[in-house]
């Protein structure tokens, strides 16, 4: 490993990232194989176009815009040569409080908004890059830019894309949040992660709504994470069967992640920003239904739950209350 690459990775760990790897960006991604195990060879752009053609993006129109740019980092950062993939462990040993009357929030949203946590660390690491090579250009994202970050995380050796379409790490299981720094620096690349899913289909079978249309491909229009976070329609516009299968989930869904065997030995995170609060670990549905829009904004000011917006969150709470078992 070159001294520059070694210093960079050391700095990433010192900034609090739990996983770091480097992917080399080819001069063209058009012919780059991004096929999961068991698929015929397809390019990154072809896989994205297939997903879009099936309409699996739902109302997320930004996914449909300029897919060529999303599939090619050199269109995001000209002369991009390397991508530094970074992972932040968000697993805690806390158990969700799902007593009667409580909803369920996805684990990644139990603590502080991960975008805020990532932003500070990414900027600090970019400064390290500039100190190593002052003339290099950089651009960083944490789930906010036109970058297919799970693919590049696999290329950088952080893990592999599982059949639930999320990254699986052999060390951290399914509990890594991802960010990346694009740079014009030539860095020493890591070996891509190897798909170790084998014949396992636990995640496919665990999905409450059958959103995993085929292994490695998720139909967002059926995915509870999409329905509770990105979907902007009201309750009546949602299929009644989907509403019923949403159960008590009011923001996101962990079902396909929870069952992954690689989570068995996942270590608890040491990141303070990922620790749960009493509200997010056991959200009381009746109390949440009484929130005003001002209360919502204040309560979730530093939480990713803001993404659902007040109307969407209240819709989710109302559906969860309707799904409460009757006695």
């Amino acid at each position: 490993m070159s001294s520059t690459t070694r210093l960079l990775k050391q700095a990433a760990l010192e900034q609090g990232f739990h996983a770091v790897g480097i992917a080399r960006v080819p001069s063209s991604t058009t012919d780059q194989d991004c096929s999961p195990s068991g698929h015929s060879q397809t390019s990154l752009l072809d896989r994205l176009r297939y997903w879009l053609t099936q309409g699996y993006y739902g109302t997320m129109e930004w996914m449909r815009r300029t897919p060529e740019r999303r599939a090619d980092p050199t269109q995001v950062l000209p002369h991009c040569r390397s991508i530094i993939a970074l992972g932040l462990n968000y697993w805690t040993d806390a158990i969700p409080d799902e007593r009667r009357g409580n909803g369920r929030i996805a684990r990644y949203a139990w603590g502080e908004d991960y975008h805020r946590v990532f932003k500070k660390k990414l900027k600090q690491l970019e400064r390290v890059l500039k100190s190593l090579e002052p003339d290099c250009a950089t651009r960083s994202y944490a789930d906010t830019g036109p970058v297919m970050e799970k693919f590049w995380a696999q290329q950088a050796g952080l893990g592999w894309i599982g059949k639930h379409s999320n990254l699986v790490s052999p060390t951290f299981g399914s509990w890594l949040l991802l960010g990346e720094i694009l740079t014009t620096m030539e860095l020493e690349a890591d070996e891509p992660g190897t798909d170790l899913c084998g014949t396992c289909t636990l995640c496919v079978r665990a999905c409450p709504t059958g959103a995993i249309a085929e292994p490695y491909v998720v139909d967002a229009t059926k995915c509870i994470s999409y329905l509770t976070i990105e979907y902007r329609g009201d309750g009546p516009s949602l299929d009644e069967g989907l509403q019923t299968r949403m159960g008590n989930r009011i923001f996101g869904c962990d079902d396909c992640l929870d069952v992954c065997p690689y989570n068995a030995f996942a270590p608890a995170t040491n990141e303070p920003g990922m620790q749960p609060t009493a509200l997010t670990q056991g959200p009381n549905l009746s109390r949440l239904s009484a929130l005003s829009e001002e209360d919502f904004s204040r309560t979730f000011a530093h939480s990713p739950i803001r993404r659902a917006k007040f109307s969407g969150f209240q819709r989710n709470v109302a559906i969860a209350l309707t799904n409460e078992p009757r006695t």
Side-chain angles (χ1 to χ4, degrees):
M1 185 187 303
S2 69
S3 59
T4 299
T5 302
R6 184 177 64 255
L7 288 170
L8 179 63
K9 289 186 172 182
Q10 181 181 339
L13 298 176
E14 289 172 353
Q15 296 300 336
F17 290 112
H18 299 104
V20 55
I22 296 168
R24 180 71 50 79
V25 177
S27 55
S28 171
T29 58
T30 303
D31 300 320
Q32 186 170 13
D33 179 25
C34 72
S35 311
S37 176
H39 286 67
S40 59
Q41 184 175 19
T42 50
S43 74
L44 187 56
L45 181 57
D46 286 341
R47 292 288 293 172
L48 177 56
R49 281 176 171 162
Y50 169 76
W51 186 77
L52 293 170
T53 301
Q54 299 303 308
Y56 291 156
Y57 61 93
T59 58
M60 296 183 290
E61 288 295 326
W62 66 89
M63 293 294 297
R64 202 159 61 101
R65 292 195 290 267
T66 59
E68 296 82 6
R69 183 169 184 259
R70 189 172 291 275
D72 185 357
T74 65
Q75 293 191 34
V76 179
L77 176 67
H79 309 295
C80 178
R81 300 305 299 141
S82 306
I83 293 180
I84 305 157
L86 299 148
L88 193 66
N89 176 22
Y90 68 96
W91 169 259
T92 71
D93 289 329
I95 299 172
D97 181 354
E98 293 194 272
R99 286 177 292 180
R100 183 182 175 86
N102 285 351
R104 177 75 185 269
I105 291 171
R107 282 182 175 273
Y108 83 86
W110 281 9
E112 189 179 344
D113 188 341
Y114 68 94
H115 300 95
R116 294 165 58 94
V117 177
F118 255 104
K119 185 176 181 180
K120 181 179 179 181
K121 297 179 189 296
L122 286 169
K123 292 304 178 186
Q124 289 172 330
L125 194 56
E126 281 184 279
R127 284 194 284 272
V128 172
L129 274 169
K130 293 286 189 179
S131 71
L132 294 171
E133 189 172 315
D135 293 334
C136 77
T138 63
R139 190 160 292 172
S140 63
Y141 299 105
D143 195 28
T144 54
V147 179
M148 299 182 73
E149 58 187 6
K150 289 181 284 189
F151 169 77
W152 292 108
Q154 177 166 356
Q155 292 300 110
L158 267 58
W160 68 94
I161 298 175
K163 292 177 182 176
H164 48 27
S165 85
N166 293 289
L167 193 81
V168 183
S169 160
T171 303
F172 301 101
S174 301
W175 311 114
L176 278 183
L177 295 165
L178 299 175
E180 60 282 329
I181 298 176
L182 283 61
T183 180
T184 55
M185 286 180 70
E186 290 272 5
L187 294 167
E188 187 176 340
D190 290 284
E191 286 292 321
T194 301
D195 185 341
L196 300 179
C197 285
T199 59
C200 179
T201 57
L202 286 174
C203 61
V204 179
R205 290 180 280 142
C207 180
T209 58
I212 304 177
E214 58 185 270
Y216 309 99
V217 180
V218 170
D219 178 356
T221 66
K222 296 180 181 178
C223 176
I224 292 174
S225 286
Y226 163 80
L227 295 173
T228 57
I229 301 173
E230 300 296 342
Y231 182 65
R232 297 292 178 239
D234 58 14
S237 67
L238 271 176
D239 177 82
E240 192 172 318
L242 286 176
Q243 290 191 47
T244 300
R245 291 193 288 274
M246 285 166 66
N248 70 337
R249 302 168 190 84
I250 58 174
F251 188 87
C253 179
D254 286 332
D255 286 29
C256 66
L257 305 181
D258 282 333
V259 299
C260 181
Y262 286 91
N263 295 334
F265 303 104
T269 186
N270 60 356
E271 170 54 53
M274 295 294 103
Q275 301 306 316
T277 65
L279 173 61
T280 55
Q281 195 175 340
N284 182 270
L285 296 171
S286 295
R287 291 174 189 162
L288 291 173
S289 69
L291 289 179
S292 66
E293 188 164 0
E294 183 181 354
D295 291 334
F296 173 81
S297 297
R298 183 173 56 252
T299 301
F300 299 112
H302 303 300
S303 165
I305 291 171
R306 292 176 306 159
R307 178 71 180 178
K309 301 190 181 298
F310 175 69
S311 58
F313 191 68
Q314 290 298 76
R315 174 204 62 210
N316 301 339
V317 170
I319 291 172
L321 282 167
T322 300
N323 289 335
E324 277 279 282
R326 307 299 179 193
T327 55

